[in-house]
Amino acid sequence: MIMPLNKVHSVKTIDRVAAELGETVDRIFELAGDMETEDGVIWVYGPGDDSVIAFTPFGIENLRELIEIDRHSAR
C-alpha cells in the first residue's frame, strides 16, 4: 500500500507572518479566527500548555487576501 505524502513542508509562526506582512500579531490572530485547517492554519503544541498558531504557505496567501478584503471594506 502506498501512503500519500504530506504536501506541507514548512509552516511559519504567527509572529513571523505578522512581521513579514507588516501587521500586528493581534490583527493576524483576529483575521485567522475564521480560518480552518483546510485554509492553511494549524496549532502547534509544545511542552505543557505552550501552543502557537502557524500558517502554511497556502495559509499565508489566504491571510493576504483577508487583509485586502478587510482594507477594502474599511474604506
Side-chain angles (χ1 to χ4, degrees):
M1 177 179 191
I2 298 175
M3 299 295 289
L5 297 176
N6 190 339
K7 294 183 182 181
V8 175
H9 58 86
S10 67
V11 295
K12 293 182 180 181
T13 65
I14 190 169
D15 294 314
R16 180 153 180 180
V17 171
E20 288 180 0
L21 297 180
E23 300 289 341
T24 65
V25 171
D26 289 339
R27 181 146 190 253
I28 296 297
F29 191 83
E30 181 181 314
L31 290 170
D34 292 330
M35 292 176 71
E36 301 289 336
T37 303
E38 297 82 20
D39 300 321
V41 62
I42 63 169
W43 280 94
V44 179
Y45 298 97
D49 292 332
D50 290 343
S51 63
V52 66
I53 193 169
F55 301 89
T56 65
F58 180 65
I60 295 168
E61 289 305 312
N62 283 331
L63 278 173
R64 286 179 191 192
E65 290 178 20
L66 290 172
I67 290 166
E68 285 304 313
I69 290 167
D70 189 56
R71 285 182 182 155
H72 182 65
S73 67
R75 292 181 201 168

